[in-house]
Amino acid sequence: MGRPAERGARVAVVLAGSWRAAPPLLDVSARDLIDVAPLLLQTGAASLGWWKVRRSPVASCTAAKELHDAYRLFALQAVLHEQRVAKAFAALRAAGVEAILGKGWAIARQYPDPGLRPYGDVDLYVRPAQHAAAVAALEDPPREGIDLHRGLAQLDDRPADEVFARSRVESLHGVEVRVFGAEDHIRLLALHMLRHGVLRPLWLCDVALALESRPPDFDWRVFASGSRRRLAWVRSAFALAHALLGARLDGVPMPEGAARPPRWLVPAVLRQWSAFVPPHGSRAPMAASLRHPAAFVRGLLLRWPNPVEATVGVGGPFNRMPRLPFQIGDCLLRTAQFARRLAVER
């Protein structure tokens, strides 16, 4: 596995099965927990860490108490976030806009405790024809923390009418909130995670939870519809959740060999989890560092795509091939896009 991935492997051990009501017993030393606690805190997985640690011999150590404090905070924030979701849907419905909620509360409600899955932005997906009306409804009064998607993002390989027809309406604080159907949501969760290089271990826990809590009427034919390449990516995400976190694949139809991730995938993710990397939205813009060579180099290094992000970025397969060509190709694509934006701005 190699030394660079050892810390990430300890993160995986702590989080394995942590999304379950009764997670497996954890056997780690206080020293190991102290080592990974900062990563759990930085990546939003602290609550799940506490859920797993709380009945272990190290539950009274300082690091465990920090995780417990984070859980308490997230439990309080969950109430505020739920109110924000309900208000957003009430405003949209008053404007005649029908939206679907993805990620965030849509997956948090499936965890055994509301404080286990923190989230910030409220991801709403609307038909392109209703996007302008949705923007107006959410700007009066302004509602912060709303990520409004024009269309279905990673689900745009499926007919929108069918996705909306499969969606389900849940009640939240007396407001009807529309969420994706299980077959669409699990695919969205996996594709979003892969597109961002499995940057946060929490996202892989989401995929594992969605797998294990799928409803009895889950339709695997609907799940498999759309892009075959994206379907293969999602199956790789399932294999990764099984290999790293012990997600159960019982009843999951996987082609021969698909349940085993390619040899490069697990080490690549564990290396990613071994050090905190700020998410894309919180990084300093590259344009601001053009006149500062040292800052520009640091920005380039920070944006060097990991093997997962690069594979999805160039639309490649999760096969046995080396990842460096995909990483170079993705970097070149991003550089070209940056140059075009810069030219337009000037």
Side-chain angles (χ1 to χ4, degrees), residues 103 125 152-158 183-198 203 207 223 225-238 308-309 312-313 318:
K103 301 175 285 184
Y125 300 78
L152 298 177
Q154 289 95 349
L155 297 178
D156 61 2
D157 59 327
R158 298 178 166 192
E183 298 85 356
D184 296 306
H185 200 213
I186 194 170
R187 190 159 165 142
L188 176 68
L189 291 168
L191 292 174
H192 171 266
M193 175 191 73
L194 295 172
R195 185 170 69 88
H196 290 283
V198 200
W203 295 338
V207 172
F223 162 79
S225 63
S227 164
R228 307 305 294 179
R229 176 57 55 83
R230 293 186 190 182
L231 173 61
W233 289 347
V234 174
R235 284 173 171 157
S236 293
F238 292 173
V308 180
E309 183 182 14
V312 174
F318 279 67

Side-chain angles (χ1 to χ4, degrees), residues 10-344:
R10 286 192 284 273
V11 170
V13 168
V14 172
L15 294 180
S18 61
W19 56 88
R20 298 174 188 147
L25 294 178
L26 178 65
D27 183 18
V28 298
S29 67
R31 182 177 180 179
D32 283 347
L33 188 61
I34 290 170
D35 179 47
V36 301
L39 288 171
L40 299 175
L41 289 162
Q42 290 169 321
T43 59
S47 288
L48 288 175
W50 163 249
W51 194 250
K52 185 81 175 290
V53 167
R54 64 198 169 111
R55 292 176 180 163
S56 74
V58 296
S60 60
C61 76
T62 302
K65 291 179 180 178
E66 291 177 351
L67 300 180
H68 194 190
D69 288 342
Y71 159 77
R72 289 169 172 154
L73 176 61
F74 293 152
L76 292 173
Q77 290 178 339
V79 177
L80 300 177
H81 290 326
E82 288 179 359
Q83 293 173 350
R84 189 151 51 100
V85 170
K87 289 178 180 179
F89 268 87
L92 289 172
R93 195 154 286 119
V97 176
E98 201 61 43
I100 305 181
L101 176 71
K103 301 175 285 184
W105 181 77
I107 187 64
R109 67 193 178 94
Q110 295 182 240
Y111 280 87
D113 186 281
L116 293 182
R117 208 311 185 170
Y119 56 94
D121 289 346
V122 176
D123 286 272
L124 301 176
Y125 300 78
V126 299
R127 291 182 174 90
Q130 290 195 314
H131 185 262
V135 170
L138 295 172
E139 285 184 348
D140 186 23
R143 290 173 174 81
E144 296 182 358
I146 304 294
D147 192 358
L148 186 63
H149 299 265
R150 182 187 180 96
L152 298 177
Q154 289 95 349
L155 297 178
D156 61 2
D157 59 327
R158 298 178 166 192
D161 289 342
E162 293 181 10
V163 173
F164 270 84
R166 285 192 295 268
S167 65
R168 302 180 182 185
V169 174
E170 305 288 344
S171 179
L172 179 62
H173 297 302
V175 176
E176 291 186 345
V177 173
R178 185 175 296 279
V179 298
F180 285 104
E183 298 85 356
D184 296 306
H185 200 213
I186 194 170
R187 190 159 165 142
L188 176 68
L189 291 168
L191 292 174
H192 171 266
M193 175 191 73
L194 295 172
R195 185 170 69 88
H196 290 283
V198 200
L199 195 64
R200 296 188 175 188
L202 178 64
W203 295 338
L204 192 59
C205 292
D206 288 345
V207 172
L209 170 66
L211 261 176
E212 293 188 358
S213 62
R214 62 187 187 274
D217 61 349
F218 190 94
D219 191 330
W220 287 107
R221 288 178 298 178
V222 170
F223 162 79
S225 63
S227 164
R228 307 305 294 179
R229 176 57 55 83
R230 293 186 190 182
L231 173 61
W233 289 347
V234 174
R235 284 173 171 157
S236 293
F238 292 173
L240 183 66
H242 174 69
L244 274 185
L245 301 179
R248 302 184 184 114
L249 296 182
D250 304 341
V252 178
M254 299 280 276
E256 184 177 355
R260 295 190 303 274
R263 293 179 59 183
W264 58 268
L265 182 54
V266 167
V269 172
L270 292 182
R271 284 194 298 271
Q272 182 66 64
W273 289 1
S274 292
F276 174 68
V277 176
H280 288 283
S282 62
R283 301 172 187 174
M286 283 295 293
S289 62
L290 288 177
R291 297 184 180 181
H292 305 280
F296 185 73
V297 171
R298 286 195 299 270
L300 287 176
L301 292 175
L302 183 64
R303 287 166 173 79
W304 176 252
N306 73 24
V308 180
E309 183 182 14
T311 301
V312 174
V314 300
F318 279 67
N319 56 19
R320 298 179 180 180
M321 291 176 58
R323 295 297 104 178
L324 183 59
F326 294 90
Q327 291 172 284
I328 294 173
D330 186 57
C331 191
L332 292 174
L333 283 174
R334 291 173 182 266
T335 301
Q337 292 168 358
F338 171 71
R340 285 197 294 270
R341 288 197 302 270
L342 200 61
V344 170

